[in-house]
Amino acid sequence: MSDPFDPRGFDPRDPDPTLALYLDQSLPIDDSAKRALLDCDRSGSRRWLFPLIRPALLAGFVVIKGVRAISPRRPNLNQTLHRLIHWGLRTFASPEANLLILRHFHIGTEILAFIKANAGGVEIATTPLRPRTLKDLEANLFLQHDLNVYNFIIQLNAGLRAQGRDLEPVAQPDFSMISDRFEFDPLPNGPLNRIDVQTAVEAYTPLYALLLPRKDFERAASSLQLDEVVGISVAKILGSSYHLAFVKNGHPLVRLSSLQAGYRLMMHGLDCEALHGWLRVLKHRQAQGLPLDPRAPTVARLAA
């Protein structure tokens, strides 16, 4: 089978949208992650199954929200939820979908670690999430991921406020925690492993709402809008807001409906991949002795 991402297959009479998106460099996303995302987008499940089941999932989601209005605290089956997520991903999700999901925990851990390392003397207790296998997800990783972000923002800003200061530009930021790649055990690739990442995310969102207390689900849904908060914190450290052009999930001061949680979760993943990719670019520029801001050489040439 030919490689859909090979530019030698380009036909100007019938340009392939997937090839255009793969070659596009507007977002600094890791190549393996971009291939996995585009493979998911091209899959039969995303093209045919996703639009068919989405109305039913949305209807079920509305019913569950009604149930949760009556019983906001029960059921509380967090462990069952994570076991179901593990089973479903192991049995039905494609290797590309599972790769993107496992990568996300590492990326989130490293972005928060970057802010912590460059924030100055602030005490922040963190729980790094580094799953190597799908089985590792059973250790409440999805719930812990949400807790990590809120706990981090609260502790960071409480510490900064107590010292009467804010994050500020760092002359030589510490990028040591930013990885070029992550190691995972072989991912399942059986005959049923065909479901793309967006269909999997949309299918799990109502389950999340059903099996977690209402407060936990709403906190998880709202956490998806913290991308902009994290992006602005990184901007203060870098002294540049360039990367905010590709952080697009909206500020959480204006909360979006949890009915959109599936789509926002996809955007959250894309925002984090792009922000981590940008930090990786800057890490390599720093190692090569180049100005951190890639626009600086252009500015210098224009001035000359």
Side-chain angles (χ1 to χ4, degrees), residues 110-122 124 152 156 167 170 172-177 237:
E110 293 193 354
I111 292 174
L112 296 184
F114 171 80
I115 298 173
K116 179 181 178 181
N118 293 285
V122 180
I124 305 174
F152 185 89
L156 170 68
L167 295 171
V170 176
Q172 290 293 321
D174 179 3
F175 293 102
S176 60
M177 72 298 296
I237 292 169

Side-chain angles (χ1 to χ4, degrees), residues 71-265:
S71 179
R73 294 185 178 83
R74 297 184 183 281
N76 182 0
L77 299 171
N78 177 50
Q79 189 59 54
T80 300
L81 170 67
H82 281 79
R83 287 174 178 164
L84 281 173
I85 290 175
H86 169 220
W87 173 78
L89 294 178
R90 184 189 67 208
T91 307
F92 299 111
S94 68
E96 293 80 13
N98 284 326
L99 171 68
L100 291 168
I101 290 169
L102 290 180
R103 278 181 57 89
H104 182 70
F105 292 100
H106 293 258
I107 286 171
T109 292
E110 293 193 354
I111 292 174
L112 296 184
F114 171 80
I115 298 173
K116 179 181 178 181
N118 293 285
V122 180
E123 290 293 328
I124 305 174
T126 57
T127 304
L129 303 178
R130 298 280 192 181
R132 287 183 59 93
T133 69
L134 295 176
K135 177 73 174 176
D136 292 339
L137 299 178
E138 288 192 3
N140 297 337
L141 255 65
F142 285 92
L143 185 60
Q144 188 61 51
H145 174 64
D146 304 329
L147 298 177
N148 275 0
V149 180
Y150 279 109
N151 291 338
F152 185 89
I153 291 172
I154 290 171
Q155 293 177 83
L156 170 68
N157 288 283
L160 292 173
R161 283 173 177 265
Q163 297 174 24
R165 64 185 183 92
D166 197 356
L167 295 171
E168 55 188 19
V170 176
Q172 290 293 321
D174 179 3
F175 293 102
S176 60
M177 72 298 296
I178 302 298
S179 301
D180 289 329
R181 57 180 300 174
F182 307 111
E183 298 295 333
F184 303 115
D185 288 357
L187 296 169
N189 193 17
L192 297 180
N193 292 111
R194 294 291 181 267
I195 301 299
D196 65 283
V197 66
Q198 190 167 3
T199 302
V201 164
E202 288 282 354
Y204 275 120
T205 301
L207 196 63
Y208 217 91
L210 176 64
L211 298 183
L212 287 184
R214 186 176 70 188
K215 182 180 178 182
D216 287 358
F217 174 73
E218 291 181 349
R219 182 176 58 209
S222 297
S223 75
L224 301 173
Q225 285 185 263
L226 291 173
D227 297 344
E228 194 162 322
V229 172
V230 171
I232 291 171
S233 297
V234 172
K236 290 178 178 178
I237 292 169
L238 296 176
S240 167
S241 60
Y242 173 75
H243 61 276
L244 294 180
F246 44 76
V247 177
K248 295 290 186 183
N249 222 354
H251 199 284
L253 282 178
V254 181
R255 186 191 296 191
L256 298 174
S257 168
S258 58
L259 294 176
Q260 301 169 282
Y263 173 75
R264 283 164 45 207
L265 184 53

Side-chain angles (χ1 to χ4, degrees), residues 9-15:
F10 168 55
D11 180 356
R13 297 166 300 179
D14 184 22

Side-chain angles (χ1 to χ4, degrees), residues 264-277:
R264 283 164 45 207
L265 184 53
M266 289 297 296
M267 291 302 298
H268 169 60
L270 184 64
D271 285 350
C272 290
E273 283 282 359
L275 183 55
H276 186 269

